Amino acid sequence: MGDSYWAGEGASKTSAYANRPGMVVDGRHQSGYAPPHVAWMLLEAGRRPLIDQYRITPASLQTSWGPDRLQFNASSGASTRHLVQQQKESNGDIRNEPQLDGVDPNTNIAFFGLGGNDAGFFDVVSTATKAGAFSSYPEDPSAAIRQQETVQQVILQKLRGLSTVADNIMKGLHRTHLAMPLAEIIVGLYPIGVKPTGNADLAAVGHQTLDVLYSYVKEVNATISKAAAAYQRTHPGVRVHVFDPNTAGPGGTSVVAGHEVGQPDSYFNDLKKNSGESGSREYQESYHPNELGAVAIGRALATWMAKEFPQYFPKGPNPDAIIMDPQASTTDPADVDHLRQVAQNDPDELCDGTDPDSICRFIQPGGDVIIPDDVYFNPTAVQPFPDEAPDDTGVVPGAPQQYVNGNTVYIPWDSYWGNPLSGTDHGPWFDDGPDFSPTGGVPGGDTGSGGPNSGGPTSGGPSSGGPSGVLSDGSTTTTTGGAWTAVWNLINTTQPGPCDQYMDNVWQKASTSAIKMRLSGYDRPQVVQISYFVVRSATEGDTQPSDPCS
């Protein structure tokens, strides 16, 4: 089971994959050079030397060797939920059936190569690609800096959701165990295809952006590894092994060391266009291991597996019996021009498949990012907070019913980029704004005169003068959605003109408050409820009757 890295996405110089019978285009993008398939062939050649030599090509998979069988269910774009759910194309067609469907319960070894898309790999790469295509990179040096800053915001957002990724990994491992109770499980980490610093500029991505990707992928790998260890501790009867290609080379080095993307003899694709695909999938092979890289990782996996599973592979891999001729891919300058044309003519296409509130969707021509106010404040326009997203049952554990089936109305505070009303480009860490204490109530407002913050949430009700239906008694019984809807209505009904700058200040106060409250320990419903009163305080307590914005 796995995603694009383990299916072999990009590990075909000609974009020819092992399609299902009768299919011209198979969105799973399974390659014969996929590392698990390469490892299987090398190990089986040593385990059961049935023939002198066997040739592997990207366009074919060998799934049987004597009495042994390989079930290859990995699919490009898959996440942990696709272990038990169908994976669908954007038009609704089925790309892949649930990866645990029909697996043999007597399986000896299960490979688990998922978690990257749970952690936002696709969003990050899509954002980087669009930011590069939409700017004057590489001609304008400042464009690379804007691209780096944009990608860094997405990374910050994704890193704060890693607790959910860990939960998904543990849940996925348990589902794998239930489907194959006899199997030992290999958890595959991701090859880090960039250097910590000193990366080369790519066709559409600057070296500055590659530098920030290193720590992101490293942190994702650490999260997956820790989740695997936690699952092993809580399920001592299940044997879990972690394969790390970044330490599986000679002397514990990385298999891809010296062959990072953009380097001579790289093991990774730069920008690569698949002419057989359309939309955002045209460039999905980009930045994945190429044929050279996938084969190198597969060889390392085979060597590692022989040591981990001597009972199955006592003779180790037999490289002499397997013929492979991996080739590097090159970037066609015409593909770069085509990418820019797509960005200009249909920019949404480059973000197809990203989250609805992904920063990718709000990159403007020139590389600036402007997120509209309806995305920040409209309760129906955003996804749930990452660590409160429903599982496949549709229920968030411990949450009231208004959070069921994904219909939550949370605003992702950790994706704040700038003021949605003015497009002001300031990042999520404001230095100004009120400070909040998780135990001391909320300052501000017309204290003592019946204003919205007269008592604070812990001392008598923050809305003694506020409207009913939002918070009438200081309790926390009102839905989060009600408070955010009130904020949305308040902001959205403000008259344009002289109030624009005023509402700009209100936005800064509200967003700053929300961030600082989260950092101070408030839970999310409290943040949203209090934020409503921050806005009411600003609009009621800080204006005069003669103010045109009153």
Side-chain angles (χ1 to χ4, degrees):
M1 297 78 62
D3 55 25
S4 57
Y5 279 80
W6 304 109
E9 175 80 70
S12 176
K13 183 178 181 179
T14 63
S15 300
Y17 293 97
N19 294 347
R20 283 166 286 198
M23 295 189 67
V24 178
V25 177
D26 186 336
R28 298 175 302 171
H29 286 187
Q30 295 179 344
S31 170
Y33 283 160
H37 181 255
V38 169
W40 145 265
M41 294 293 288
L42 291 170
L43 290 167
E44 285 295 317
R47 172 177 163 87
R48 302 182 188 278
L50 303 178
I51 55 177
D52 291 336
Q53 288 186 323
Y54 190 95
R55 181 178 296 276
I56 298 179
T57 68
S60 63
L61 293 171
Q62 178 73 16
T63 57
S64 64
W65 193 291
D68 297 341
R69 295 291 181 270
L70 169 69
Q71 291 180 274
F72 195 89
N73 296 340
S75 175
S76 183
S79 61
T80 54
R81 71 176 181 272
H82 295 123
L83 291 169
V84 294
Q85 294 179 14
Q86 288 179 331
Q87 185 183 357
K88 296 185 177 182
E89 305 287 359
S90 57
N91 63 2
D93 291 346
I94 297 173
R95 178 184 301 181
N96 200 28
E97 295 295 340
Q99 293 193 24
L100 289 176
D101 271 15
V103 296
D104 189 338
N106 295 314
T107 295
N108 302 110
I109 302 173
F111 188 93
F112 183 99
L114 294 163
N117 289 319
D118 296 71
F121 276 7
F122 186 71
D123 262 26
V124 171
V125 173
S126 297
T127 300
T129 302
K130 184 178 179 181
F134 239 178
S135 68
S136 52
Y137 172 85
E139 293 82 4
D140 179 7
S142 66
I145 300 300
R146 289 198 299 275
Q147 181 188 55
Q148 176 198 23
E149 292 173 345
T150 302
V151 171
Q152 203 155 15
Q153 296 303 315
V154 182
I155 289 175
L156 287 172
Q157 180 184 17
K158 300 305 178 184
L159 288 177
R160 295 187 188 104
L162 288 184
S163 61
T164 301
V165 176
D167 291 342
N168 291 349
I169 295 297
M170 294 182 68
K171 185 186 298 182
L173 290 173
H174 193 56
R175 286 171 170 158
T176 300
H177 169 62
L178 293 178
M180 295 170 280
L182 304 180
E184 299 187 41
I185 302 174
I186 300 173
V187 176
L189 304 186
Y190 294 92
I192 303 180
V194 296
K195 299 195 294 185
T197 58
N199 287 284
D201 287 326
L202 304 183
V205 181
H207 69 272
Q208 300 93 333
T209 297
L210 297 181
D211 289 351
V212 302
L213 289 175
Y214 178 86
S215 59
Y216 164 60
V217 181
K218 188 175 181 180
E219 192 64 31
V220 171
N221 276 342
T223 298
I224 296 172
S225 182
K226 290 176 183 176
Y231 182 78
Q232 177 74 87
R233 287 194 303 271
T234 55
H235 298 80
V238 184
R239 294 197 62 186
V240 179
H241 312 254
V242 176
F243 171 67
D244 185 356
N246 306 291
T247 60
T253 61
S254 172
V255 176
V256 302
H259 302 277
E260 294 85 358
V261 64
Q263 303 300 316
D265 301 319
S266 175
Y267 283 173
F268 295 84
N269 295 318
D270 192 344
L271 189 73
K272 186 174 186 294
K273 181 175 178 288
N274 182 349
S275 299
E277 292 284 4
S278 60
S280 62
R281 291 189 57 81
E282 281 186 302
Y283 290 94
Q284 197 160 322
E285 294 176 322
S286 304
Y287 320 122
H288 282 81
N290 58 21
E291 292 183 4
L292 293 172
V295 168
I297 295 169
R299 290 183 185 276
L301 175 59
T303 300
W304 177 87
M305 288 181 65
K307 295 178 181 178
E308 292 288 306
F309 305 100
Q311 69 275 34
Y312 298 123
F313 312 112
K315 297 180 181 180
N318 182 2
D320 295 333
I322 305 299
I323 301 174
M324 295 178 281
D325 185 25
Q327 303 290 321
S329 300
T330 57
T331 298
D332 187 338
D335 293 347
V336 181
D337 295 336
H338 179 264
L339 177 67
R340 291 182 174 179
Q341 291 174 7
V342 172
Q344 297 297 326
N345 298 334
D346 191 4
D348 291 341
E349 191 173 281
L350 296 180
C351 302
D352 184 29
T354 62
D355 292 338
D357 58 343
S358 171
I359 289 175
C360 180
R361 298 178 181 272
F362 308 111
I363 301 174
Q364 308 299 312
D368 293 329
V369 176
I370 300 177
I371 302 181
D373 54 346
D374 61 331
V375 172
Y376 276 103
F377 288 102
N378 187 345
T380 63
V382 296
Q383 293 292 291
F385 277 115
D387 62 350
E388 292 176 339
D391 59 19
D392 56 284
T393 65
V395 179
V396 180
Q401 288 302 299
Q402 67 261 29
Y403 302 155
V404 171
N405 294 326
N407 296 322
T408 80
V409 291
Y410 289 130
I411 302 298
W413 69 276
D414 48 9
S415 68
Y416 286 151
W417 173 262
N419 186 338
L421 301 177
S422 68
T424 303
D425 187 356
H426 38 66
W429 309 113
F430 298 114
D431 293 324
D432 58 344
D435 289 310
F436 291 94
S437 164
T439 58
V442 181
D446 272 340
T447 303
S449 58
N453 292 337
S454 59
T458 61
S459 57
S463 62
S464 57
S468 60
V470 178
L471 278 180
S472 58
D473 60 359
S475 70
T476 58
T477 58
T478 303
T479 67
T480 301
W484 267 125
T485 302
V487 174
W488 161 244
N489 290 336
L490 184 63
I491 297 292
N492 202 39
T493 55
T494 302
Q495 295 298 314
C499 299
D500 286 349
Q501 183 58 46
Y502 182 77
M503 294 312 295
D504 180 29
N505 296 333
V506 172
W507 159 253
Q508 291 192 41
K509 288 185 178 182
S511 58
T512 303
S513 302
I515 291 169
K516 291 192 175 183
M517 282 187 287
R518 283 295 297 136
L519 293 177
S520 298
Y522 279 104
D523 62 29
R524 291 189 172 96
Q526 288 174 318
V527 170
V528 177
Q529 291 158 356
I530 296 170
S531 293
Y532 169 78
F533 297 106
V534 172
V535 176
R536 279 194 60 84
S537 173
T539 54
E540 292 184 352
D542 298 346
T543 58
Q544 303 298 321
S546 59
D547 193 308
C549 298
S550 61

